[in-house]
Amino acid sequence: MEKAILGDNQFFAVNHLSDEKSRAQAIRFKDDSAIISVIDQSIDLGIKTFMCTTHDRIANICDHIRKNPSGYQDFKIYPCMPYAHKYANAVTELGIMGTIKQYVPGNIFGTFAKGGLAFLSKDFIKMMEILIDAEMKMFKGIPTPVIFIQNVLVDMILGLKMYDVFAEYDRYIRKKYEAEPGYITMNLPALLDALNSVGVVNPVICSSINKIGFRMSGGKEIYEKCLREKEFQPIAMQVLAAGALKPKEAIEYLGQFPKIESVLFGASTKSHIRETKELIEQYM
Amino acid sequence: MINGAIIGLGKMGLSHASIVSAHPDVNLTCVCDTSSLVLDAFKKFSKLKVYTDYQKMIEEEPLDFVVIATPTRFHYAMVKFALDHGLHVFCEKPFTLTTAQGEELVESVNQKKLVNQVGFHNHFIGTFRELKRLLDKRVLGELFHFSGEAYGPVVTKEKGSTWRSNPEEGGGCLFDYASHVINLVQETIGRPEKVLGAVLKSIYSNGVEDAVYSLMRLTSGLTGTLLVNWSDETYRKMSTSITVQGKNGKIICDATEVKIYLKEAVPSENLEKGWTIKYITDFAIPVNFYLRGEEYSAQIDYFVNCIINKAPLEYNTFEQALYTDKVIEMIQEKNKLN
């Protein structure tokens, strides 16, 4: 994995520090071309991995990449599924069954469809596979060497102690996509133990890691212990603690943990991308 | 260790199940729902016992508490049954469909001295607590206006209906979205005693409102507005904010920031003249397990702590939730007059 990975929160109005700023971002990135231009700038600066949710608009970005292959040689996407708010808002309105009906491709309730059979026989693993395939469709033809499940789902499964689901996910991603399964979590220490307990070893885990312990459940110390002692491939996110930390002190803090393989960061301008990349190269 | 169960495994129920199950002081022993799809998933992947009949579950299992996360119309009967069996109860919002039902449950729970809580999770977001603290310190001087607002993209086009689109069952923007804002206003600024004007507006839904606009007066005499719309797709998710204005300035507070403007500094609070912005990073309540936001874990931590340590009930009691239901009724009645 590359040391610096560009994230997509800034493109989709996700700002953990300010609802107002998030709306300003929605205006700034109204057109797909504005997103593409930031991705292109990051490629110019040598960042060739883009980690993104399976948001509807990412499908447009993928179309652009497929149409202009020359500009995106060696470019990789790390998809993160599902785009949770799409489902969460649907569940509020339609309930769980209504949401499945709306988002599963084809007619899942048709007895003869592949999905229909999975549904009728309550073959949950098959249903999971169908949903993954549906989310992955937009990336066809683009390298996706690591495929993540979003933290909402990872942490829900973790809390419910349904650890076998992780093992099934791991198996399917390796088999079908020949990719490395990744996990985003807000509960790194507990997740790592859970994955190890079902035989998932040395996993790629993306979690909040920052100097002030923001969104590091259970406290910073236990995270630091994991980073020193456990076997896994960490990607640090929320390294600026939603903006509470200055980039230099934030990246300098990460530098004490050689195990951290990558830093996921969001930036909207070339100068910010350059500054972050230089700090990562200097300290990590 | 105490034993708990979840009744209702929709969005909130699954989230509560996960958080309760991860809690170090709780044994989540069983869950109850009517969906065979959801229950079969629990049978296959978890070690929890599953029930389709909540009464049977409560009678058979040695429980200390239940979390009730079913559609609102079931709350009254389920809460009553749980209380009659001596269980502590966490119930999702809104509390009950009629205030008469709510009054009965409040009386019952107070008599039985059981821990009771309703899921108005905004009180477990650090910024809103800071807002209340600053208002209690009277940094704004004499208040003259408040505005409680929430916007989000739940219903953004015309389509089929579920219980959430049926007002008889506790559906609609007033019960679902506005109840959060009413409760937040009620507990951070003051209790509304009169609804001066109210408009419930359907935008895309049939038979139920998508927006709530109201002018109200609090017991303190302060007046303000409630502006809520769940059909606003300029918001990625539900965004709730409170603005309070006083003679010495104003505070705008949401889940991420407290923005304070003061005409005159308040040295005792270290607040300068002009703008001061405080961020959630300074106020987030630490939790051991995080799912969807600290507030969801923090409210369960609080509930469990009240049971184990017999801590006094301060946040989100049935009585507070009942008062929110009363304001909802006032808004409905005022709207009918239009």
Side-chain angles (χ1 to χ4, degrees):
Chain A
M1 294 188 290
E2 284 183 69
K3 271 190 183 171
I5 299 174
L6 182 71
D8 72 341
N9 273 353
Q10 69 281 15
F11 301 145
F12 302 119
V14 183
N15 188 305
H16 298 290
L17 207 53
S18 162
D19 285 347
E20 198 170 291
K21 278 184 196 129
S22 84
R23 282 191 289 281
Q25 288 168 338
I27 295 165
R28 158 100 158 81
F29 291 105
K30 175 173 159 283
D31 295 320
D32 296 334
S33 59
I35 298 176
I36 290 166
S37 139
V38 173
I39 292 175
D40 289 351
Q41 286 167 355
S42 84
I43 293 175
D44 286 348
L45 292 165
I47 296 171
K48 296 190 168 173
T49 307
F50 176 47
M51 184 155 154
C52 61
T53 50
T54 50
H55 191 285
D56 292 342
R57 286 182 63 195
I58 290 294
N60 306 341
I61 309 299
C62 291
D63 280 343
H64 171 84
I65 292 169
R66 276 186 294 263
K67 279 182 198 146
N68 303 279
S70 61
Y72 299 94
Q73 281 166 0
D74 306 326
F75 186 71
K76 296 176 280 293
I77 289 183
Y78 290 178
C80 311
M81 62 179 68
Y83 176 63
H85 288 293
K86 174 172 81 179
Y87 292 100
N89 288 325
V91 170
T92 299
E93 194 204 349
L94 304 169
I96 287 173
M97 296 294 282
T99 302
I100 291 174
K101 273 190 212 168
Q102 175 153 337
Y103 285 107
V104 172
N107 182 2
I108 194 170
F109 298 98
T111 321
F112 301 107
K114 180 181 166 197
L117 284 173
F119 181 80
L120 285 178
S121 61
K122 292 182 182 147
D123 184 342
F124 296 101
I125 299 308
K126 190 99 224 157
M127 284 199 273
M128 176 190 82
E129 293 174 356
I130 290 167
L131 284 165
I132 291 172
D133 291 350
E135 297 273 317
M136 282 301 292
K137 228 178 196 167
M138 66 172 81
F139 303 104
K140 201 169 181 338
I142 299 169
T144 54
V146 186
I147 300 170
F148 286 89
I149 338 181
Q150 289 282 16
N151 52 296
V152 171
L153 216 52
V154 168
D155 292 332
M156 171 92 72
I157 295 164
L158 176 68
L160 292 171
K161 303 186 171 77
M162 296 182 171
Y163 306 150
D164 287 339
V165 178
F166 294 135
E168 294 289 350
Y169 174 78
D170 192 275
R171 176 194 57 77
Y172 189 65
I173 293 298
R174 287 180 198 281
K175 188 187 83 183
K176 170 87 188 260
Y177 295 96
E178 294 178 346
E180 181 91 21
Y183 306 85
I184 306 176
T185 183
M186 295 295 184
N187 306 287
L188 166 66
L191 177 69
L192 193 48
D193 289 345
L195 290 174
N196 288 340
S197 77
V198 289
V200 175
V201 291
N202 197 23
V204 176
I205 300 182
C206 179
S207 69
S208 301
I209 302 176
N210 57 64
K211 199 180 171 180
I212 59 167
F214 182 57
R215 300 267 150 89
M216 294 164 74
S217 315
K220 196 171 78 161
E221 291 69 28
I222 173 167
Y223 271 61
E224 292 180 344
K225 196 166 184 292
C226 281
L227 289 168
R228 289 201 185 92
E229 298 171 7
K230 298 275 177 94
E231 190 192 8
F232 68 118
Q233 305 172 62
I235 298 177
M237 66 172 182
Q238 294 198 323
V239 298
L240 302 180
L245 292 168
K246 296 269 171 289
K248 184 171 177 292
E249 61 172 332
I251 308 285
E252 209 173 353
Y253 167 75
L254 300 178
Q256 21 167 347
F257 306 103
K259 189 180 284 293
I260 296 175
E261 295 200 4
S262 308
V263 176
L264 174 67
F265 73 101
S268 304
T269 64
K270 196 164 186 174
S271 63
H272 271 136
I273 299 172
R274 180 182 291 122
E275 182 195 15
T276 312
K277 181 156 192 281
E278 284 171 2
L279 285 168
I280 292 170
E281 275 165 2
Q282 184 183 347
Y283 290 107
M284 302 192 59
Chain B
M1 293 290 267
I2 52 174
N3 294 325
I6 312 287
I7 306 174
L9 295 169
K11 184 172 80 173
M12 287 314 300
L14 284 172
S15 165
H16 287 311
S18 182
I19 290 167
V20 169
S21 162
H23 198 293
D25 300 326
V26 179
N27 269 328
L28 176 66
T29 55
C30 46
V31 292
C32 178
D33 197 88
T34 51
S35 158
S36 65
L37 181 73
V38 175
L39 291 184
D40 282 6
F42 273 84
K43 276 187 219 161
K44 185 167 163 66
F45 295 105
S46 85
K47 294 185 176 72
L48 304 177
K49 276 177 87 170
V50 305
Y51 284 87
T52 51
D53 180 343
Y54 75 94
Q55 297 189 339
K56 189 163 177 259
M57 178 176 82
I58 287 173
E59 277 163 355
E60 286 181 3
E61 296 288 329
L63 295 171
D64 295 293
F65 73 86
V66 285
V67 172
I68 296 170
T70 52
T72 316
R73 74 188 142 111
F74 299 116
H75 287 179
Y76 167 73
M78 289 177 171
V79 172
K80 187 170 159 34
F81 193 82
L83 293 179
D84 287 345
H85 286 75
L87 302 186
H88 306 290
V89 177
F90 181 104
C91 181
E92 254 318 314
K93 45 66 55 176
F95 187 35
T96 54
L97 283 183
T98 68
T99 52
Q101 292 174 342
E103 306 257 11
E104 190 190 322
L105 296 178
V106 168
E107 197 175 316
S108 166
V109 84
N110 288 343
Q111 214 170 39
K112 297 184 166 79
K113 296 195 172 16
L114 292 162
V115 175
N116 56 100
Q117 196 174 325
V118 175
F120 286 109
H121 53 73
N122 286 316
H123 297 301
F124 292 86
I125 296 177
T127 46
F128 290 121
R129 287 203 178 175
E130 177 65 5
L131 168 70
K132 180 170 168 50
R133 199 187 65 80
L134 291 171
L135 291 177
D136 289 347
K137 297 268 181 193
R138 300 187 52 83
V139 298
L140 296 182
E142 190 187 325
L143 304 182
F144 65 87
H145 177 71
F146 72 85
S147 182
E149 300 173 47
Y151 306 100
V154 176
V155 181
T156 54
K157 51 185 174 224
E158 283 161 39
K159 54 185 160 195
S161 57
T162 68
W163 72 269
R164 287 187 192 272
S165 52
N166 184 351
E168 305 297 313
E169 296 180 25
C173 177
L174 177 59
F175 277 108
D176 195 283
Y177 256 48
S179 61
H180 273 299
V181 190
I182 295 166
N183 187 270
L184 200 50
V185 166
Q186 167 194 318
E187 298 303 319
T188 51
I189 313 173
R191 294 197 161 186
E193 65 166 11
K194 189 169 173 66
V195 170
L196 305 170
V199 178
L200 301 181
K201 229 177 200 26
S202 294
I203 302 168
Y204 302 109
S205 297
N206 276 324
V208 80
E209 74 288 340
D210 295 313
V212 179
Y213 302 109
S214 178
L215 180 67
M216 50 182 63
R217 189 178 69 221
L218 311 184
T219 47
S220 62
L222 181 67
T223 54
T225 49
L226 181 73
L227 308 168
V228 183
N229 178 350
W230 75 359
S231 295
D232 186 341
E233 65 179 32
T234 64
Y235 292 80
R236 188 176 64 98
K237 56 177 185 174
M238 184 178 187
S239 300
T240 304
S241 69
I242 302 276
T243 302
V244 185
Q245 287 181 272
K247 284 187 173 172
N248 192 38
K250 75 172 169 184
I251 302 178
I252 306 164
C253 180
D254 60 30
T256 54
E257 292 173 304
V258 189
K259 288 175 277 196
I260 305 152
Y261 180 87
L262 296 181
K263 283 164 77 84
E264 296 299 333
V266 178
S268 60
E269 279 298 318
N270 240 335
L271 291 170
E272 293 167 4
K273 184 175 168 173
W275 285 102
T276 303
I277 316 289
K278 297 183 173 202
Y279 295 106
I280 183 66
T281 40
D282 290 330
F283 301 108
I285 300 170
V287 294
N288 285 315
F289 179 75
Y290 179 107
L291 180 64
R292 299 167 62 224
E294 289 90 0
E295 61 271 29
Y296 300 103
S297 299
Q299 65 176 355
I300 294 294
D301 288 350
Y302 175 75
F303 179 67
V304 169
N305 182 48
C306 286
I307 296 173
I308 294 179
N309 297 316
K310 301 190 169 52
L313 308 182
E314 185 184 350
Y315 293 102
N316 291 343
T317 61
F318 282 3
E319 192 280 328
Q320 291 167 10
L322 166 63
Y323 198 86
T324 300
D325 287 347
K326 286 180 179 168
V327 179
I328 288 175
E329 269 188 5
M330 286 189 252
I331 290 174
Q332 285 171 324
E333 276 161 28
K334 193 74 191 175
N335 176 64
K336 268 188 214 146
L337 296 176
N338 294 335

